[in-house]
Amino acid sequence: MSYHEVYQTWQKNPEAFWMQAAEAIDWDTPPSKALTDLGGDLYEWFADAKVNTCWNAIDRHVEAGRGTQTAIIYDSPVTGTKAHISFAELKDRVALLAGALRDKGVSSGDRVLIYMPMVPEALEAMLACARIGAVHSVVFGGFAANELAVRIDDAQPKAILAASCGIEPGRVVSYKPLLDTAIEMATHSPAFCAILQREQSIAPLIEGRDVDWHDFQKGVTPADCLPVPGNHPSYILYTSGTTGQPKGVIRHTAGQLVALNWTMKNIYNVDPGDVFWAASDVGWVVGHSYICYAPLIHGNTTIVFEGKPVGTPDASTFWRVIAEHKVRSFFTAPTAFRAVKREDPEGKLVQNYDLSCLGQVYLAGERADPDTISWAKEHLKVPIVDHWWQTETGWAIAANPIGIEELPIKLGSPAVPMPGYHVEILDDAGHPVADGELGAIALKLPLPPGTLPTLWNAEERFRSSYLNTFPGYYETGDAGMKDADGYLYIMARTDDVINVAGHRLSTGAMEEVLADHPDVAECAVIGVSDNLKGQIPVGFMCLNAGSERPHSQVVAEVVAQVRNKIGPVAAFKTAVVVDRLPKTRSGKILRGTMVSIADGKEWKMPATIDDPAILDEITTALQSIGYASC
Ligand code: COA
Ligand code: AMP
């Protein structure tokens, strides 16, 4: 079938489409129907089924006689370690960890927070939770203690599974002090923490609260897979919204299984047994869906890569890993390719490796600029697929579904909607706009299986964030357009979210940190274009009348504060002091205009501006830090 035929099959009968996809899953009790309409624009998929994710990701492959196949390849250039874990070994390791959690009182529905770097144990922790129906919440290692504390208070985990440290090029990041501080800051306390000691930094354990990862598994009876209802939350993953309070995206068990399994062949074009590599981090949605769950559910080998695209040891690492482990489909962020391209513009290092195993490459997480795609295509000589999705959706909204049909690639477009997604471009009043016209991108409800059904303990926020603007639609927060062939173009966010090196961050959260500084009266943080990271944050501050502190000192302090409170991953390094911020007459800060000025783009004087002269001051301030040059 062609892509159009598959899409039409879904359009004609969405429920039948997903019921058929559900046949690829091992059910304890099969679903009697696909969709449940809960009313009020809330939906659930396969709600009355009983199923276990871990069974589908591990045990069933062992039962089918594929226990010796490698499930996880651990490749860690930062520690000089490589390891292969078969499905049979993975089953034993996960069942034991799950048994240890169960014996310490973790049961179905309890939350378990996971704070770990890219080591196989991170996946084992996620899968052990799934095995006993516990709901995991993985927190990215680049976040600071305060962010961890906010998540602890929101998810209220019974247990925390953490490693003693992560390893960044050139430095060991001790996780344990961050964890201890976060637990002190949080109101909620976990019953216990299990710590994986890594030799690079052995952490002191707190008596009565902390247990050693290996010790607490000794003598334990392995746990069996516990079937859970189809609408049982599989995990909570916090993502940036417009404020400092992150949104807890949840994923239901059955929908995730069905949808992710469907994507592996149809989008990523891999068959069971093939090696699939997503070079991301378990702390992000890509890590959840495509390092851990989807490849394993589909019977693929997944790679846990602990390194960077450059500097570990050089810009050939990606090609080395692909050639050495025979990767068939590779997934990364455009920023990673830009980093490689900057060091090896002519792609000379690619030629040192036999990449004949590689079928196609996928890019997501931010806009894929045409230069990067063309560079990758020229040197890798395989289709480079830009695809568009979000933490909320868990899998691609739009892609080039190579496993169904390789559609023509149009640079700058993540191609076409996947079955399950009815994509509309809407004007402010919620009416569809003509092809080629810019508007807000919205998805007609219901969303497909595997997407967020709501936010953790925050249904009202779910509605106000996603459902209220365009009744009957999910608001993506992205603006863009569709062309006459149905290809989508994702142009910008419509909210305060920015994408820094493929990492989703909230300028609102950074503004909250700046505003906390005793000398800051008012502030704004915007995302300006950056050749490597796509966007980077820049702060503007108006100081309190009478503040006599040197501006450079205030700037240094807020930079340190953002690193302390949000984390190094925010990459907040630049801020300027200004007398005033440009605002509309109703007092709204004109961040969009500031971004255009910073990027040297053409901009129009906003009709509603209070005092146009302020924009000259902003331009001068931006020029003083190297922006607004044309
Ligand atoms: N734990 C602790 N610190 C971390 C971290 C982690 N897991 N990940 C990043 N950091 C730190 C970095 O060490 C860096 O700190 P520094 O300010 O002291 O240098 C800071 O956070 C910013 O990191 P990063 O955004 O990774 O920038 P970089 O300059 O170190 O590297 C790239 C640039 C492009 C190589 C890198 O951003 C990259 O590989 N990006 C791809 C991202 C990706 O795959 N995203 C997934 C979406 S699909
Ligand atoms: P995250 O939730 O971290 O995956 O970030 C999701 C956001 O990243 C989207 O809403 C987009 O703004 C952006 N994004 C992801 N993929 C793409 C893409 N292929 N093209 C353009 N923007 C993208």
Side-chain angles (χ1 to χ4, degrees), residues 352-437:
N352 298 339
Y353 296 90
D354 172 6
L355 301 185
S356 54
C357 55
L358 187 65
Q360 49 276 316
V361 170
Y362 297 81
L363 298 176
E366 55 172 329
R367 186 172 169 270
D369 51 292
D371 273 1
T372 301
I373 294 193
S374 304
W375 177 86
K377 170 89 186 129
E378 181 189 341
H379 299 294
L380 300 175
K381 300 182 175 54
V382 295
I384 310 294
V385 176
D386 176 16
H387 63 328
W388 167 58
W389 51 296
Q390 315 182 306
T391 303
E392 288 86 344
T393 64
W395 60 283
I397 307 165
N400 193 329
I402 303 236
I404 300 174
E405 177 193 5
E406 187 183 330
L407 299 171
I409 287 175
K410 297 194 191 187
L411 289 181
S413 166
V416 292
M418 290 298 90
Y421 294 101
H422 178 132
V423 183
E424 295 270 21
I425 315 292
L426 304 177
D427 64 16
D428 288 348
H431 302 123
V433 300
D435 289 344
E437 273 183 34

Side-chain angles (χ1 to χ4, degrees), residues 48-71:
D48 69 356
K50 284 273 176 68
V51 69
N52 184 277
T53 299
C54 190
W55 173 271
N56 277 280
I58 306 176
D59 299 49
R60 67 164 168 167
H61 305 308
V62 179
E63 295 282 310
R66 308 219 339 261
T68 55
Q69 183 197 312
T70 300

Side-chain angles (χ1 to χ4, degrees), residues 295-316:
L296 296 177
I297 292 163
H298 193 249
N300 292 105
T301 299
T302 187
I303 298 184
V304 173
F305 172 72
E306 191 180 26
K308 299 267 175 176
V310 291
T312 62
D314 58 31
S316 73

